[in-house]
Amino acid sequence: DEPRPGATIEIYSDYPEFNRSDLLNSATLIVEGTVTGTEYTVTEARFEGDTPEENPLLGLSEKEKAKALAKQKGSPTIVVRLRVDSVHKGDVKPGQTVSIVQSGGVINDVLYREIGNVILSRGEKYLIFGADSFDGAYYILGGTAGTYVEAEPGTFVAAVDATAPFETLTSTEVHSLTH
């Protein structure tokens, strides 16, 4: 059954937990930045890798692959544009805009909302711990574990205390942790 237009569907993602060390070491991107815009899109499934967990199409015949791919509907995704103000880790520069992908969004006028997720808001400033995604974009580690909202200039608080390894972080603390 397809959901009715205008409906809201709650989705759940099972993110790994991060301690302080894991969050710092797993991040390929640690930046402070301001959200300049968001866009709803659909992310198509990608089947890459050398194990059945990474690539469920591994070992299937061409006919079986075609049948499995035809069943794929894609995942609702929000692409957030973040203008980078400060770089603590990563191959980006201040002033550059990066794309952050988050779960959720709208498909066929149906809102998909991820339980427990904090969607980055236009005009707000964040400290983001991210990792490489597809097509040059990044995802936030642990869903919300790597999301910190600016409370006052240079001071960031965890978007969701339950998942965050730090309650608060200052720009100076992040700099000392990453250098």
Side-chain angles (χ1 to χ4, degrees), residues 32-33 85-86 88 125-127 148-157 168-175:
E32 297 172 31
D85 299 323
S86 300
H88 298 284
K125 187 168 179 174
Y126 296 91
L127 169 64
Y148 294 80
V149 183
E150 186 176 59
E152 58 185 63
T155 302
F156 298 86
V157 297
T168 64
L169 280 167
T170 66
S171 298
T172 303
E173 289 169 334
V174 177
H175 181 77

Side-chain angles (χ1 to χ4, degrees), residues 29-31 84 86-87 89-94 96-98 138:
L29 180 78
I30 303 174
V31 295
V84 175
S86 300
V87 179
K89 185 177 182 181
D91 193 23
V92 297
K93 295 184 179 4
Q96 185 176 342
T97 297
V98 296
Y138 299 90

Side-chain angles (χ1 to χ4, degrees), residues 73-147:
K73 294 183 180 178
S75 299
T77 305
I78 302 166
V79 178
V80 178
R81 289 179 300 286
L82 184 79
R83 185 191 67 240
V84 175
D85 299 323
S86 300
V87 179
H88 298 284
K89 185 177 182 181
D91 193 23
V92 297
K93 295 184 179 4
Q96 185 176 342
T97 297
V98 296
S99 295
I100 308 286
V101 291
Q102 294 190 279
S103 296
V106 176
I107 299 176
N108 298 327
D109 200 30
V110 175
L111 173 64
Y112 292 85
R113 184 174 52 218
E114 184 178 25
I115 298 168
N117 197 12
V118 173
I119 301 302
L120 304 182
S121 298
R122 184 184 186 120
E124 293 292 320
K125 187 168 179 174
Y126 296 91
L127 169 64
I128 299 294
F129 291 78
D132 299 333
S133 186
F134 293 106
D135 302 328
Y138 299 90
Y139 67 92
I140 300 172
L141 292 173
T144 56
T147 306

Side-chain angles (χ1 to χ4, degrees), residues 17-37:
E17 290 185 26
F18 284 88
N19 62 35
R20 291 174 178 205
S21 176
D22 291 340
L23 188 67
L24 289 163
N25 292 330
S26 297
T28 58
L29 180 78
I30 303 174
V31 295
E32 297 172 31
T34 304
V35 174
T36 61

